[in-house]
Amino acid sequence: MQNNLIITTPEELEQLIYNAVERIIVNHLQVKNKDDPDISYPELMGTEQAALYLRISESTLYRYTRKRLISHQKRYQKLYFKKAGLLKWVEENKNLFNHRKNEKNYKNN
């Protein structure tokens, strides 16, 4: 194993750290704009992102988690949702979404 020693100034080190953290944030903790049609969702989402992903309100998402209808994790009083779990839930509950879509179409006519 070769030992590489990098000599840098405090300012350069600060910039290197800043760039590394920024890359991590951009790639893994993206803040989503609900109006952006080309949203790529991360593998782990908070309640706002999960609700946008499912196209339901946050209150509906909370209700589903309270009734244990949708897979989630709770850490430090916050809910988190795995993208794979949400996809599986949507596949298993297609009839719920079709019913809601038909109900909205009926109300709009």
Side-chain angles (χ1 to χ4, degrees), residues 16-30 42:
L16 285 169
I17 293 170
Y18 177 84
N19 291 343
V21 170
E22 184 177 43
R23 268 195 314 275
I24 290 168
I25 290 171
V26 167
N27 291 330
H28 299 288
L29 303 173
Q30 300 172 358

Side-chain angles (χ1 to χ4, degrees), residues 3 6-7 10 13 23 29 48 59-60 98 100 102 104:
N3 291 330
I6 299 174
I7 300 173
L13 179 60
R23 268 195 314 275
L29 303 173
E48 183 179 1
S59 61
T60 300
N98 288 335
R100 286 183 65 226
N102 291 339
K104 283 182 183 178

Side-chain angles (χ1 to χ4, degrees), residues 55-107:
R55 296 184 180 166
I56 60 176
S57 68
E58 283 185 66
S59 61
T60 300
L61 182 60
Y62 281 117
R63 188 172 66 247
Y64 289 169
T65 57
R66 193 171 46 252
K67 292 180 179 182
R68 300 194 190 286
L69 298 174
I70 194 163
S71 176
H72 64 282
Q73 299 172 350
K74 191 171 186 178
R75 297 277 187 252
Y76 306 108
Q77 305 295 323
K78 292 189 179 188
L79 297 176
Y80 296 95
F81 303 85
K82 290 184 179 178
K83 184 177 183 180
L86 295 177
L87 284 171
K88 181 180 176 189
W89 185 83
V90 167
E91 283 297 314
E92 293 171 352
N93 294 280
K94 281 184 180 179
N95 59 339
L96 176 68
F97 288 98
N98 288 335
H99 174 72
R100 286 183 65 226
K101 190 163 84 173
N102 291 339
E103 192 175 271
K104 283 182 183 178
N105 289 338
Y106 178 76
K107 287 179 181 178

